[in-house]
Amino acid sequence: QVQLVESGGGSVQAGGSLRLSCAASTNTYGYCMGWFRQALGKEREGVATIATDGSTTYADSVKGRVTISRDNAGNTLYLQMNSLNTEDTAMYYCAAASLGRTLCTVTYLVYNLRRWGQGTQVTVSS
């Protein structure tokens, strides 16, 4: 089972940027990988996914501001977040999902979690 450890969260002002990283214990190319977040008192929300073929999907709330990627070795997953706003404040989790290539999307991510990390907090102030 893949082990995941997130890092890179922090406190930023609105309009700022953060790059989250997720170190995986094994190569992730064989997995549907993604990021989801959970704000205090709210449901989990899929933020971005990257499928085995490299195709990506994004939540409407972050589209155009966020980019998911992984390094060539497939051991590190990234989430580059720009133009952050207060609505982005949440705990962010890196995850591996039990989804095939075509279903590896933000719509299905949080309902098919296989493994996830301990999370990294992102706080955006106005």
Side-chain angles (χ1 to χ4, degrees):
Q1 291 278 19
V2 61
Q3 304 294 322
L4 304 168
V5 179
E6 303 93 337
S7 62
S11 297
V12 296
Q13 289 197 318
S17 298
L18 281 174
R19 188 194 198 198
L20 307 184
S21 298
C22 172
S25 60
T26 186
N27 185 296
T28 64
Y29 277 111
Y31 295 88
C32 166
M33 299 296 296
W35 291 89
F36 69 93
R37 65 187 180 185
Q38 189 164 23
L40 199 61
K42 293 190 176 181
E43 299 288 321
R44 290 171 173 172
E45 177 190 19
V47 176
T49 59
I50 184 165
T52 54
D53 65 351
S55 59
T56 58
T57 71
Y58 298 94
D60 288 343
S61 58
V62 304
K63 203 168 290 183
R65 302 188 294 117
V66 166
T67 303
I68 187 171
S69 63
R70 54 185 156 205
D71 67 349
N72 288 338
N75 292 107
T76 307
L77 192 72
Y78 301 103
L79 189 71
Q80 177 68 45
M81 302 191 296
N82 302 322
S83 302
L84 287 162
N85 58 62
T86 57
E87 296 293 308
D88 296 316
T89 294
M91 186 73 82
Y92 284 72
Y93 299 86
C94 170
S98 300
L99 291 167
R101 180 182 59 83
T102 57
L103 293 181
C104 183
T105 68
V106 291
T107 301
Y108 298 107
L109 176 66
V110 298
Y111 305 106
N112 294 276
L113 297 175
R114 183 175 179 179
R115 302 286 290 184
W116 59 97
Q118 83 289 348
T120 186
Q121 177 68 37
V122 172
T123 303
V124 184
S125 58
S126 58

